[in-house]
Amino acid sequence: MPWRDKLGLVHIYTGNGKGKTTAAFGLAVRMLGSGGKVIILQFMKAGDVYGEQKKIAECGAVIESFGLPKFVHGKPEPDDIEAAKKALQRAREVVSSGEWDLVILDEICVALGFGMLDVDDVRELIESKAPHTELVLTGRYCPEELFELADYVTEMREVKHPYQRGILARRGVEF
């Protein structure tokens, strides 16, 4: 591929606003459309739940979900922590392999925010990235110390959201 000789950069999409995963998946479609290889590792999401999972796979991305079929509220359970650690181990393999043009670590920042992962482990993961691989980290609660390792940092800021009026997540829009 023509970009294999280019330097891969690091993106962070964080903040309380909607659109972090959506932005990452948009980048995945762009990379796939350019002939690149894309893998998405989901840290806090179970497989076959979210509308984008099946479609992005049909477009040619590999998607692996490590989240459990429950939401983490407050203190994570031991099985939540174990799932996040499995995802991190897989991410280490993927990010350093050189096989992928784009690697998306979806909701890794949430796992950090809940204390399920150690920020130093994620720092090491970023530093181990294959030179041409574009790497995206998404999720609320990204520790600011990771910003220095990123080339792009985008904070999605919630100004207004239907949830504030009691409207729950809707299929096809929020999931």
Side-chain angles (χ1 to χ4, degrees), residues 2-44:
W3 56 82
R4 289 270 175 169
D5 60 348
K6 304 264 190 276
L7 180 63
L9 302 179
V10 177
H11 308 236
I12 294 175
Y13 304 151
T14 192
N16 289 330
K18 180 180 172 352
K20 297 169 291 289
T21 297
T22 304
F25 275 56
L27 185 58
V29 169
R30 179 173 285 163
M31 181 63 79
L32 290 166
S34 297
K37 288 184 69 178
V38 175
I39 187 167
I40 301 162
L41 304 181
Q42 294 187 305
F43 279 72
M44 303 290 293

mmCIF file of all heavy atoms in Angstrom, residues 2-44:
data_model
loop_
_atom_site.group_PDB
_atom_site.id
_atom_site.type_symbol
_atom_site.label_atom_id
_atom_site.label_comp_id
_atom_site.label_asym_id
_atom_site.label_seq_id
_atom_site.Cartn_x
_atom_site.Cartn_y
_atom_site.Cartn_z
ATOM 1 N N PRO A 2 0.402 2.311 -0.609
ATOM 2 C CA PRO A 2 1.233 3.511 -0.734
ATOM 3 C C PRO A 2 1.588 4.172 0.594
ATOM 4 O O PRO A 2 2.581 4.853 0.690
ATOM 5 C CB PRO A 2 0.390 4.450 -1.600
ATOM 6 C CG PRO A 2 -0.963 3.872 -1.653
ATOM 7 C CD PRO A 2 -0.866 2.434 -1.288
ATOM 8 N N TRP A 3 0.782 3.999 1.640
ATOM 9 C CA TRP A 3 1.061 4.669 2.902
ATOM 10 C C TRP A 3 1.966 3.844 3.811
ATOM 11 O O TRP A 3 2.351 4.292 4.867
ATOM 12 C CB TRP A 3 -0.216 5.017 3.644
ATOM 13 C CG TRP A 3 -1.066 3.825 3.876
ATOM 14 C CD1 TRP A 3 -0.934 2.915 4.879
ATOM 15 C CD2 TRP A 3 -2.129 3.381 3.069
ATOM 16 N NE1 TRP A 3 -1.862 1.930 4.743
ATOM 17 C CE2 TRP A 3 -2.612 2.187 3.634
ATOM 18 C CE3 TRP A 3 -2.731 3.869 1.916
ATOM 19 C CZ2 TRP A 3 -3.675 1.480 3.089
ATOM 20 C CZ3 TRP A 3 -3.787 3.157 1.380
ATOM 21 C CH2 TRP A 3 -4.238 1.987 1.964
ATOM 22 N N ARG A 4 2.332 2.634 3.422
ATOM 23 C CA ARG A 4 3.181 1.792 4.266
ATOM 24 C C ARG A 4 4.521 2.453 4.579
ATOM 25 O O ARG A 4 5.131 2.150 5.583
ATOM 26 C CB ARG A 4 3.424 0.434 3.609
ATOM 27 C CG ARG A 4 2.225 -0.452 3.589
ATOM 28 C CD ARG A 4 2.195 -1.275 4.822
ATOM 29 N NE ARG A 4 0.969 -2.050 4.845
ATOM 30 C CZ ARG A 4 0.762 -3.002 5.687
ATOM 31 N NH1 ARG A 4 1.685 -3.335 6.543
ATOM 32 N NH2 ARG A 4 -0.375 -3.636 5.696
ATOM 33 N N ASP A 5 4.986 3.350 3.724
ATOM 34 C CA ASP A 5 6.253 4.034 3.984
ATOM 35 C C ASP A 5 6.046 5.335 4.759
ATOM 36 O O ASP A 5 6.991 6.051 5.043
ATOM 37 C CB ASP A 5 6.997 4.307 2.685
ATOM 38 C CG ASP A 5 6.210 5.186 1.720
ATOM 39 O OD1 ASP A 5 5.016 5.406 1.947
ATOM 40 O OD2 ASP A 5 6.812 5.645 0.743
ATOM 41 N N LYS A 6 4.819 5.633 5.116
ATOM 42 C CA LYS A 6 4.503 6.860 5.842
ATOM 43 C C LYS A 6 4.478 6.593 7.347
ATOM 44 O O LYS A 6 4.277 5.479 7.800
ATOM 45 C CB LYS A 6 3.132 7.389 5.417
ATOM 46 C CG LYS A 6 2.992 7.617 3.929
ATOM 47 C CD LYS A 6 3.255 9.053 3.594
ATOM 48 C CE LYS A 6 2.904 9.386 2.173
ATOM 49 N NZ LYS A 6 3.885 9.113 1.195
ATOM 50 N N LEU A 7 4.643 7.626 8.111
ATOM 51 C CA LEU A 7 4.580 7.534 9.551
ATOM 52 C C LEU A 7 3.125 7.443 9.987
ATOM 53 O O LEU A 7 2.311 8.297 9.650
ATOM 54 C CB LEU A 7 5.226 8.774 10.168
ATOM 55 C CG LEU A 7 5.255 8.862 11.678
ATOM 56 C CD1 LEU A 7 6.094 7.725 12.258
ATOM 57 C CD2 LEU A 7 5.824 10.201 12.107
ATOM 58 N N GLY A 8 2.786 6.402 10.737
ATOM 59 C CA GLY A 8 1.450 6.279 11.309
ATOM 60 C C GLY A 8 1.338 7.156 12.537
ATOM 61 O O GLY A 8 2.280 7.260 13.329
ATOM 62 N N LEU A 9 0.217 7.805 12.704
ATOM 63 C CA LEU A 9 0.023 8.745 13.806
ATOM 64 C C LEU A 9 -0.981 8.204 14.825
ATOM 65 O O LEU A 9 -1.660 7.209 14.578
ATOM 66 C CB LEU A 9 -0.418 10.103 13.265
ATOM 67 C CG LEU A 9 0.551 10.754 12.267
ATOM 68 C CD1 LEU A 9 0.013 12.088 11.777
ATOM 69 C CD2 LEU A 9 1.940 10.912 12.856
ATOM 70 N N VAL A 10 -1.058 8.884 15.951
ATOM 71 C CA VAL A 10 -1.916 8.464 17.060
ATOM 72 C C VAL A 10 -3.033 9.489 17.243
ATOM 73 O O VAL A 10 -2.779 10.690 17.308
ATOM 74 C CB VAL A 10 -1.096 8.328 18.360
ATOM 75 C CG1 VAL A 10 -1.999 7.952 19.537
ATOM 76 C CG2 VAL A 10 0.024 7.293 18.186
ATOM 77 N N HIS A 11 -4.266 8.989 17.326
ATOM 78 C CA HIS A 11 -5.462 9.818 17.516
ATOM 79 C C HIS A 11 -6.091 9.465 18.864
ATOM 80 O O HIS A 11 -6.181 8.289 19.211
ATOM 81 C CB HIS A 11 -6.531 9.510 16.462
ATOM 82 C CG HIS A 11 -6.080 9.544 15.056
ATOM 83 N ND1 HIS A 11 -6.677 10.354 14.120
ATOM 84 C CD2 HIS A 11 -5.117 8.856 14.384
ATOM 85 C CE1 HIS A 11 -6.109 10.165 12.944
ATOM 86 N NE2 HIS A 11 -5.155 9.260 13.080
ATOM 87 N N ILE A 12 -6.601 10.452 19.566
ATOM 88 C CA ILE A 12 -7.429 10.240 20.751
ATOM 89 C C ILE A 12 -8.725 11.000 20.534
ATOM 90 O O ILE A 12 -8.709 12.197 20.256
ATOM 91 C CB ILE A 12 -6.731 10.722 22.037
ATOM 92 C CG1 ILE A 12 -5.495 9.866 22.320
ATOM 93 C CG2 ILE A 12 -7.702 10.685 23.215
ATOM 94 C CD1 ILE A 12 -4.670 10.339 23.506
ATOM 95 N N TYR A 13 -9.854 10.278 20.636
ATOM 96 C CA TYR A 13 -11.180 10.881 20.583
ATOM 97 C C TYR A 13 -11.798 10.666 21.956
ATOM 98 O O TYR A 13 -12.112 9.539 22.328
ATOM 99 C CB TYR A 13 -12.058 10.237 19.511
ATOM 100 C CG TYR A 13 -11.491 10.253 18.102
ATOM 101 C CD1 TYR A 13 -11.831 9.258 17.198
ATOM 102 C CD2 TYR A 13 -10.631 11.253 17.663
ATOM 103 C CE1 TYR A 13 -11.331 9.258 15.902
ATOM 104 C CE2 TYR A 13 -10.127 11.262 16.377
ATOM 105 C CZ TYR A 13 -10.482 10.259 15.498
ATOM 106 O OH TYR A 13 -9.976 10.262 14.216
ATOM 107 N N THR A 14 -11.963 11.735 22.732
ATOM 108 C CA THR A 14 -12.419 11.620 24.109
ATOM 109 C C THR A 14 -13.463 12.690 24.402
ATOM 110 O O THR A 14 -13.875 13.432 23.519
ATOM 111 C CB THR A 14 -11.215 11.684 25.082
ATOM 112 O OG1 THR A 14 -11.644 11.279 26.391
ATOM 113 C CG2 THR A 14 -10.571 13.053 25.107
ATOM 114 N N GLY A 15 -13.896 12.772 25.645
ATOM 115 C CA GLY A 15 -14.868 13.774 26.067
ATOM 116 C C GLY A 15 -16.231 13.176 26.335
ATOM 117 O O GLY A 15 -16.492 12.006 26.041
ATOM 118 N N ASN A 16 -17.126 14.005 26.868
ATOM 119 C CA ASN A 16 -18.458 13.546 27.251
ATOM 120 C C ASN A 16 -19.478 13.620 26.121
ATOM 121 O O ASN A 16 -20.599 13.153 26.270
ATOM 122 C CB ASN A 16 -18.971 14.349 28.449
ATOM 123 C CG ASN A 16 -18.232 13.986 29.713
ATOM 124 O OD1 ASN A 16 -17.774 12.850 29.866
ATOM 125 N ND2 ASN A 16 -18.087 14.931 30.616
ATOM 126 N N GLY A 17 -19.110 14.218 25.015
ATOM 127 C CA GLY A 17 -20.047 14.346 23.907
ATOM 128 C C GLY A 17 -20.151 13.083 23.068
ATOM 129 O O GLY A 17 -19.294 12.204 23.099
ATOM 130 N N LYS A 18 -21.212 13.007 22.297
ATOM 131 C CA LYS A 18 -21.480 11.890 21.396
ATOM 132 C C LYS A 18 -20.553 11.973 20.183
ATOM 133 O O LYS A 18 -20.217 13.051 19.730
ATOM 134 C CB LYS A 18 -22.942 11.980 20.952
ATOM 135 C CG LYS A 18 -23.393 10.887 20.014
ATOM 136 C CD LYS A 18 -24.849 11.107 19.678
ATOM 137 C CE LYS A 18 -25.407 10.216 18.603
ATOM 138 N NZ LYS A 18 -24.526 9.373 17.871
ATOM 139 N N GLY A 19 -20.149 10.817 19.648
ATOM 140 C CA GLY A 19 -19.468 10.801 18.366
ATOM 141 C C GLY A 19 -18.057 10.254 18.340
ATOM 142 O O GLY A 19 -17.422 10.246 17.288
ATOM 143 N N LYS A 20 -17.540 9.776 19.447
ATOM 144 C CA LYS A 20 -16.154 9.284 19.482
ATOM 145 C C LYS A 20 -15.994 8.014 18.658
ATOM 146 O O LYS A 20 -15.138 7.934 17.773
ATOM 147 C CB LYS A 20 -15.724 9.061 20.930
ATOM 148 C CG LYS A 20 -15.709 10.368 21.741
ATOM 149 C CD LYS A 20 -15.557 10.154 23.222
ATOM 150 C CE LYS A 20 -16.746 9.518 23.875
ATOM 151 N NZ LYS A 20 -17.927 10.381 23.977
ATOM 152 N N THR A 21 -16.816 7.015 18.930
ATOM 153 C CA THR A 21 -16.764 5.782 18.150
ATOM 154 C C THR A 21 -17.168 6.049 16.705
ATOM 155 O O THR A 21 -16.564 5.518 15.774
ATOM 156 C CB THR A 21 -17.665 4.709 18.785
ATOM 157 O OG1 THR A 21 -17.154 4.395 20.090
ATOM 158 C CG2 THR A 21 -17.724 3.448 17.939
ATOM 159 N N THR A 22 -18.152 6.898 16.511
ATOM 160 C CA THR A 22 -18.605 7.234 15.166
ATOM 161 C C THR A 22 -17.470 7.838 14.339
ATOM 162 O O THR A 22 -17.268 7.472 13.176
ATOM 163 C CB THR A 22 -19.798 8.208 15.237
ATOM 164 O OG1 THR A 22 -20.824 7.620 16.042
ATOM 165 C CG2 THR A 22 -20.339 8.515 13.854
ATOM 166 N N ALA A 23 -16.702 8.734 14.929
ATOM 167 C CA ALA A 23 -15.567 9.328 14.228
ATOM 168 C C ALA A 23 -14.520 8.269 13.889
ATOM 169 O O ALA A 23 -13.962 8.256 12.781
ATOM 170 C CB ALA A 23 -14.942 10.431 15.072
ATOM 171 N N ALA A 24 -14.254 7.385 14.826
ATOM 172 C CA ALA A 24 -13.266 6.329 14.584
ATOM 173 C C ALA A 24 -13.724 5.396 13.469
ATOM 174 O O ALA A 24 -12.929 5.005 12.609
ATOM 175 C CB ALA A 24 -13.017 5.545 15.873
ATOM 176 N N PHE A 25 -15.006 5.060 13.467
ATOM 177 C CA PHE A 25 -15.519 4.176 12.416
ATOM 178 C C PHE A 25 -15.521 4.885 11.067
ATOM 179 O O PHE A 25 -15.322 4.250 10.032
ATOM 180 C CB PHE A 25 -16.908 3.657 12.788
ATOM 181 C CG PHE A 25 -16.870 2.441 13.673
ATOM 182 C CD1 PHE A 25 -16.197 2.464 14.885
ATOM 183 C CD2 PHE A 25 -17.512 1.277 13.301
ATOM 184 C CE1 PHE A 25 -16.153 1.341 15.706
ATOM 185 C CE2 PHE A 25 -17.471 0.147 14.112
ATOM 186 C CZ PHE A 25 -16.804 0.176 15.318
ATOM 187 N N GLY A 26 -15.739 6.181 11.057
ATOM 188 C CA GLY A 26 -15.621 6.935 9.808
ATOM 189 C C GLY A 26 -14.219 6.859 9.253
ATOM 190 O O GLY A 26 -14.015 6.686 8.045
ATOM 191 N N LEU A 27 -13.222 6.979 10.111
ATOM 192 C CA LEU A 27 -11.833 6.835 9.684
ATOM 193 C C LEU A 27 -11.579 5.420 9.168
ATOM 194 O O LEU A 27 -10.863 5.235 8.174
ATOM 195 C CB LEU A 27 -10.886 7.169 10.839
ATOM 196 C CG LEU A 27 -9.408 7.181 10.520
ATOM 197 C CD1 LEU A 27 -9.066 8.178 9.414
ATOM 198 C CD2 LEU A 27 -8.615 7.497 11.784
ATOM 199 N N ALA A 28 -12.195 4.424 9.804
ATOM 200 C CA ALA A 28 -12.059 3.039 9.341
ATOM 201 C C ALA A 28 -12.602 2.881 7.921
ATOM 202 O O ALA A 28 -11.965 2.248 7.068
ATOM 203 C CB ALA A 28 -12.781 2.083 10.296
ATOM 204 N N VAL A 29 -13.752 3.466 7.652
ATOM 205 C CA VAL A 29 -14.330 3.392 6.305
ATOM 206 C C VAL A 29 -13.404 4.068 5.300
ATOM 207 O O VAL A 29 -13.162 3.551 4.203
ATOM 208 C CB VAL A 29 -15.748 4.023 6.283
ATOM 209 C CG1 VAL A 29 -16.249 4.187 4.849
ATOM 210 C CG2 VAL A 29 -16.709 3.172 7.097
ATOM 211 N N ARG A 30 -12.844 5.192 5.674
ATOM 212 C CA ARG A 30 -11.910 5.898 4.793
ATOM 213 C C ARG A 30 -10.688 5.019 4.490
ATOM 214 O O ARG A 30 -10.236 4.923 3.347
ATOM 215 C CB ARG A 30 -11.488 7.212 5.436
ATOM 216 C CG ARG A 30 -10.497 7.998 4.587
ATOM 217 C CD ARG A 30 -10.229 9.359 5.174
ATOM 218 N NE ARG A 30 -11.379 10.214 4.926
ATOM 219 C CZ ARG A 30 -11.629 11.342 5.553
ATOM 220 N NH1 ARG A 30 -10.808 11.781 6.500
ATOM 221 N NH2 ARG A 30 -12.670 12.074 5.259
ATOM 222 N N MET A 31 -10.136 4.375 5.504
ATOM 223 C CA MET A 31 -8.964 3.517 5.314
ATOM 224 C C MET A 31 -9.316 2.306 4.463
ATOM 225 O O MET A 31 -8.567 1.927 3.552
ATOM 226 C CB MET A 31 -8.391 3.087 6.666
ATOM 227 C CG MET A 31 -7.146 2.217 6.559
ATOM 228 S SD MET A 31 -5.724 3.020 5.777
ATOM 229 C CE MET A 31 -5.124 4.011 7.140
ATOM 230 N N LEU A 32 -10.460 1.690 4.745
ATOM 231 C CA LEU A 32 -10.895 0.542 3.945
ATOM 232 C C LEU A 32 -11.094 0.952 2.487
ATOM 233 O O LEU A 32 -10.712 0.218 1.575
ATOM 234 C CB LEU A 32 -12.190 -0.047 4.516
ATOM 235 C CG LEU A 32 -12.054 -0.757 5.854
ATOM 236 C CD1 LEU A 32 -13.432 -0.973 6.469
ATOM 237 C CD2 LEU A 32 -11.301 -2.074 5.710
ATOM 238 N N GLY A 33 -11.675 2.121 2.268
ATOM 239 C CA GLY A 33 -11.898 2.614 0.915
ATOM 240 C C GLY A 33 -10.614 2.903 0.169
ATOM 241 O O GLY A 33 -10.587 2.926 -1.067
ATOM 242 N N SER A 34 -9.523 3.085 0.919
ATOM 243 C CA SER A 34 -8.211 3.313 0.313
ATOM 244 C C SER A 34 -7.402 2.028 0.203
ATOM 245 O O SER A 34 -6.235 2.070 -0.180
ATOM 246 C CB SER A 34 -7.431 4.330 1.152
ATOM 247 O OG SER A 34 -8.103 5.571 1.142
ATOM 248 N N GLY A 35 -8.018 0.901 0.544
ATOM 249 C CA GLY A 35 -7.347 -0.388 0.413
ATOM 250 C C GLY A 35 -6.562 -0.830 1.626
ATOM 251 O O GLY A 35 -5.813 -1.809 1.561
ATOM 252 N N GLY A 36 -6.705 -0.133 2.748
ATOM 253 C CA GLY A 36 -5.961 -0.485 3.952
ATOM 254 C C GLY A 36 -6.624 -1.583 4.759
ATOM 255 O O GLY A 36 -7.800 -1.886 4.597
ATOM 256 N N LYS A 37 -5.832 -2.166 5.669
ATOM 257 C CA LYS A 37 -6.317 -3.205 6.584
ATOM 258 C C LYS A 37 -6.654 -2.576 7.920
ATOM 259 O O LYS A 37 -5.841 -1.852 8.495
ATOM 260 C CB LYS A 37 -5.251 -4.283 6.773
ATOM 261 C CG LYS A 37 -5.057 -5.165 5.559
ATOM 262 C CD LYS A 37 -4.058 -6.268 5.852
ATOM 263 C CE LYS A 37 -4.677 -7.236 6.844
ATOM 264 N NZ LYS A 37 -3.783 -8.370 7.146
ATOM 265 N N VAL A 38 -7.857 -2.873 8.410
ATOM 266 C CA VAL A 38 -8.382 -2.244 9.622
ATOM 267 C C VAL A 38 -8.791 -3.314 10.628
ATOM 268 O O VAL A 38 -9.455 -4.280 10.272
ATOM 269 C CB VAL A 38 -9.608 -1.361 9.295
ATOM 270 C CG1 VAL A 38 -10.237 -0.803 10.562
ATOM 271 C CG2 VAL A 38 -9.227 -0.251 8.328
ATOM 272 N N ILE A 39 -8.405 -3.094 11.877
ATOM 273 C CA ILE A 39 -8.895 -3.927 12.978
ATOM 274 C C ILE A 39 -9.397 -3.013 14.085
ATOM 275 O O ILE A 39 -8.784 -1.986 14.371
ATOM 276 C CB ILE A 39 -7.839 -4.922 13.502
ATOM 277 C CG1 ILE A 39 -8.461 -5.879 14.533
ATOM 278 C CG2 ILE A 39 -6.619 -4.204 14.044
ATOM 279 C CD1 ILE A 39 -7.594 -7.087 14.862
ATOM 280 N N ILE A 40 -10.517 -3.403 14.682
ATOM 281 C CA ILE A 40 -11.136 -2.648 15.769
ATOM 282 C C ILE A 40 -11.259 -3.588 16.963
ATOM 283 O O ILE A 40 -11.871 -4.656 16.852
ATOM 284 C CB ILE A 40 -12.526 -2.127 15.356
ATOM 285 C CG1 ILE A 40 -12.408 -1.235 14.116
ATOM 286 C CG2 ILE A 40 -13.199 -1.409 16.523
ATOM 287 C CD1 ILE A 40 -13.702 -1.009 13.380
ATOM 288 N N LEU A 41 -10.661 -3.191 18.073
ATOM 289 C CA LEU A 41 -10.788 -3.945 19.321
ATOM 290 C C LEU A 41 -11.663 -3.127 20.253
ATOM 291 O O LEU A 41 -11.355 -1.964 20.542
ATOM 292 C CB LEU A 41 -9.420 -4.185 19.955
ATOM 293 C CG LEU A 41 -8.378 -4.881 19.080
ATOM 294 C CD1 LEU A 41 -7.078 -5.069 19.852
ATOM 295 C CD2 LEU A 41 -8.882 -6.204 18.550
ATOM 296 N N GLN A 42 -12.766 -3.720 20.689
ATOM 297 C CA GLN A 42 -13.704 -3.011 21.549
ATOM 298 C C GLN A 42 -13.530 -3.473 22.991
ATOM 299 O O GLN A 42 -13.685 -4.652 23.296
ATOM 300 C CB GLN A 42 -15.135 -3.223 21.074
ATOM 301 C CG GLN A 42 -15.370 -2.590 19.714
ATOM 302 C CD GLN A 42 -16.807 -2.624 19.284
ATOM 303 O OE1 GLN A 42 -17.418 -3.678 19.249
ATOM 304 N NE2 GLN A 42 -17.350 -1.454 18.970
ATOM 305 N N PHE A 43 -13.203 -2.516 23.852
ATOM 306 C CA PHE A 43 -12.883 -2.824 25.242
ATOM 307 C C PHE A 43 -14.099 -2.957 26.137
ATOM 308 O O PHE A 43 -14.088 -3.736 27.070
ATOM 309 C CB PHE A 43 -11.943 -1.752 25.806
ATOM 310 C CG PHE A 43 -10.512 -1.982 25.426
ATOM 311 C CD1 PHE A 43 -10.084 -1.774 24.126
ATOM 312 C CD2 PHE A 43 -9.606 -2.420 26.363
ATOM 313 C CE1 PHE A 43 -8.762 -1.987 23.774
ATOM 314 C CE2 PHE A 43 -8.282 -2.648 26.024
ATOM 315 C CZ PHE A 43 -7.861 -2.430 24.725
ATOM 316 N N MET A 44 -15.140 -2.207 25.921
ATOM 317 C CA MET A 44 -16.264 -2.171 26.851
ATOM 318 C C MET A 44 -17.577 -2.600 26.191
ATOM 319 O O MET A 44 -18.625 -2.477 26.792
ATOM 320 C CB MET A 44 -16.430 -0.751 27.412
ATOM 321 C CG MET A 44 -15.202 -0.189 28.099
ATOM 322 S SD MET A 44 -14.808 -0.966 29.670
ATOM 323 C CE MET A 44 -16.184 -0.454 30.662
#
